[in-house]
Amino acid sequence: MTHPALAQYSTLCVYASLLVLGVAFVAFALDLAQVRHRALDAGDGMMTASGGTATCTTASVGAAGGGTDTLVRTAAGSPASPGTAAPGPRPAAGIGLALTRLDALLLLAAVVLRGLSVMRAPWGNLYEFLVTAAMLVVVVYVVMGLRQDLRWLGVFVSGLTLLVLGPALTVYTEAGQLMPSLRSYWLVVHVSIAILASAMFAIGAALSALYLVQESSERRHAAGATLAGWRRTLLAAVPASRTLDRMAYGLHALAFPLWTFTVIAGAVWAERAWGRYWGWDPKEVWSFIIWVVYAAYLHARATTGWKVRHAAWIALAGFLCIVMNSFVVNKFMTGMHSYSGM
């Protein structure tokens, strides 16, 4: 039985979420710009106080994941070291964070209403998968923010979520009942864990990308090079590269066992539904490729002699495989999982 009104309310919540998230993205972006200006003003103040001569200082900031990072020495008047922007009120970030929390509630309502409209777990097609994934990306960010100040990450999480919700609406599927092979409790077990792992991998990818940019900026800054405007902003507002790397590694280390369970649960479900554990279906193959890439990342990250930059690139390759698995495989490769792209 389908309840069209509930499905319609679910869709309205998704559109409202897009609007709220767009405003949050703008608010977080304004906050980053303000952080940069405060950092530059602080540098100018230091330059004036020292009579116009450059003075070198060594700064330490608390790592977001615990501990401290000793930062490179900086000259007064130059871009601030990572995370050392002058303190001050951040109303734009507060607005962005409040709207992000509201967005999490809107997306949760969208998912719940969609499920109630068809009286099943709302993960039977690509549209439902993407909306739930967007919700979990925001929820993971909000939960992480309860233990540490992650306002600097808000613009990247909100932007990433917008990139998930936009395509979700382009593949919108009317609420309906599942095909017989999907009518199983394994849908809840297998797909829910896959979505959660994908959301954590998504934030991990954002942190890995930030690490690569921040690490490059730190090296250029230490060498006395002039940084572009957006690099100066990130250098002032975002934690040190080592902190970003630890956060990314922690998320990937949590998400990898979840993805491992996803692959195993999928094989068990395939045996129940189709009488075989593995059939070289495109979706199965790409799920295994994702597992291999992230296993390589964790191995590289923990192996002495491997540069962290190289491991970060592997993490980004893993997320690219997830994108391929979600969109290209679902839409353009025929197999037993073709219904998941409907």
Side-chain angles (χ1 to χ4, degrees):
M1 180 178 180
T2 303
H3 302 277
L6 293 178
Q8 188 175 24
Y9 291 145
S10 172
T11 305
L12 289 175
C13 285
V14 173
Y15 279 106
S17 169
L18 273 173
L19 177 61
V20 170
L21 202 59
V23 178
F25 176 83
V26 173
F28 282 126
L30 288 174
D31 175 69
L32 284 184
Q34 291 168 359
V35 167
R36 177 192 171 193
H37 289 315
R38 285 198 298 271
L40 294 178
D41 290 344
D44 291 341
M46 292 172 63
M47 182 77 95
T48 301
S50 61
T53 59
T55 59
C56 291
T57 61
T58 302
S60 294
V61 296
T68 60
D69 283 330
T70 301
L71 304 180
V72 296
R73 292 186 303 166
T74 61
S78 64
S81 295
T84 60
R90 300 177 62 181
I95 293 172
L97 187 58
L99 290 174
T100 303
R101 291 168 177 168
L102 173 60
D103 186 74
L105 295 176
L106 285 171
L107 287 174
L108 177 60
V111 172
V112 171
L113 288 171
R114 180 78 174 196
L116 291 176
S117 71
V118 288
M119 300 303 294
R120 60 168 173 79
W123 308 313
N125 51 65
L126 183 57
Y127 167 76
E128 295 172 354
F129 182 96
L130 292 176
V131 171
T132 307
M135 179 201 71
L136 286 177
V137 168
V138 177
V139 168
V140 169
Y141 168 70
V142 170
V143 171
M144 290 174 61
L146 296 177
R147 299 184 59 186
Q148 51 195 310
D149 184 0
L150 294 180
R151 289 176 291 181
W152 54 269
L153 187 58
V155 67
F156 306 101
V157 170
S158 57
L160 177 65
T161 310
L162 286 171
L163 291 177
V164 174
L165 283 179
L169 291 173
T170 65
V171 294
Y172 176 80
T173 304
E174 293 291 341
Q177 297 305 316
L178 298 174
M179 61 187 304
S181 61
L182 286 180
R183 295 171 189 169
S184 169
Y185 62 88
W186 283 104
L187 173 69
V188 177
V189 176
H190 171 66
V191 182
S192 62
I193 299 300
I195 298 174
L196 177 59
S198 298
M200 297 174 70
F201 281 140
I203 298 180
L207 290 169
S208 295
L210 279 174
Y211 162 80
L212 291 170
V213 174
Q214 191 76 323
E215 192 272 341
S216 174
S217 297
E218 289 172 5
R219 284 190 287 108
R220 295 185 185 187
H221 179 47
T226 301
L227 300 179
W230 62 272
R231 283 184 179 271
R232 291 163 66 93
T233 300
L234 290 181
L235 197 67
V238 175
S241 60
R242 282 181 290 179
T243 298
L244 295 171
D245 170 58
R246 282 200 298 270
M247 293 177 67
Y249 177 69
L251 270 176
H252 285 108
L254 287 173
F256 182 73
L258 297 178
W259 192 261
T260 302
F261 178 82
T262 296
V263 174
I264 295 173
V268 174
W269 189 11
E271 194 279 332
R272 298 288 181 87
W274 303 316
R276 86 301 188 271
Y277 290 99
W278 189 265
W280 297 103
D281 183 80
K283 192 81 170 178
E284 296 171 347
V285 171
W286 274 93
S287 295
F288 181 67
I289 290 173
I290 292 169
W291 186 90
V292 170
V293 173
Y294 279 114
Y297 162 77
L298 293 176
H299 177 73
R301 179 59 179 71
T303 301
T304 303
W306 262 83
K307 291 185 178 181
V308 178
R309 290 199 308 275
H310 296 162
W313 281 112
I314 296 176
L316 293 180
F319 185 65
L320 179 60
C321 289
I322 289 179
V323 174
M324 288 283 294
N325 193 36
S326 299
F327 293 98
V328 178
V329 174
N330 277 348
K331 299 298 292 184
F332 301 107
M333 295 187 183
T334 302
M336 299 294 289
H337 291 78
S338 296
Y339 51 77
S340 62
M342 294 188 299

